[in-house]
Amino acid sequence: MKKFIFAAAAALTLSACVEPIPKAELPVQKASIPQSTVNMVHAVMREKMKDPESAKFRRLVTYRSGLGDQIICGEYDAKNSYGGYTGYKNYYARVRGGEILIMHTDSTGSYTDYAHQGCAHAATGKIIAPAAHVTG
């Protein structure tokens, strides 16, 4: 019991030392982006799949920020290890200068997943990003 109390106290002490990451809003607007950027994002996503050749993508929506960020939102589906499709889930990627800054793929398809949240924010005309990403 003493070990548990010590571990809990240590965890609380350490968590108090972590500074929250400053956030900022970044305006975005719908825009077409190069297909090569979309293909790059899809290739990275396929690397994580059990059956990359089975990947299907749909409902692609793209945005661009004033900093030149390219935001890609859509849905993906792929076969699992049993050979069945698992159902479409959201994905979100933000690319700057040919590099993926952030990518989220929903694991559950729920409205609490980061991919859904990122795309929902982009649809309103702004995204929430770490302040360091907003200032370039």
Side-chain angles (χ1 to χ4, degrees), residues 46 48-52 54 78-81:
R46 281 186 174 99
K48 309 282 186 211
M49 296 177 183
K50 298 234 183 235
D51 184 353
S54 71
K79 291 182 180 179
N80 60 19
S81 54

Side-chain angles (χ1 to χ4, degrees), residues 13-131:
T13 302
L14 290 175
S15 67
C17 297
V18 176
E19 292 284 326
I21 297 172
K23 305 282 186 194
E25 288 185 357
L26 179 61
V28 299
Q29 60 186 8
K30 276 190 177 181
S32 58
I33 62 173
Q35 186 61 43
S36 59
T37 303
V38 174
N39 293 344
M40 175 188 66
V41 168
H42 289 175
V44 170
M45 290 176 66
R46 281 186 174 99
E47 289 175 7
K48 309 282 186 211
M49 296 177 183
K50 298 234 183 235
D51 184 353
E53 298 303 315
S54 71
K56 300 187 290 187
F57 299 92
R58 70 178 190 186
R59 296 189 179 162
L60 181 70
V61 181
T62 57
Y63 304 88
R64 190 178 295 272
S65 78
L67 295 175
D69 293 1
Q70 300 165 336
I71 293 106
I72 302 165
C73 294
E75 294 180 344
Y76 73 100
D77 195 6
K79 291 182 180 179
N80 60 19
S81 54
Y82 296 108
Y85 281 97
T86 59
Y88 280 94
K89 296 174 186 68
N90 298 309
Y91 71 93
Y92 168 92
R94 188 156 54 101
V95 178
R96 183 185 294 168
E99 285 189 41
I100 297 173
L101 291 177
I102 190 165
M103 182 185 303
H104 293 294
T105 56
D106 287 353
S107 57
T108 64
S110 74
Y111 292 105
T112 59
D113 279 327
Y114 291 121
H116 176 81
Q117 290 177 10
C119 293
H121 281 262
T124 68
K126 62 182 178 274
I127 59 172
I128 309 300

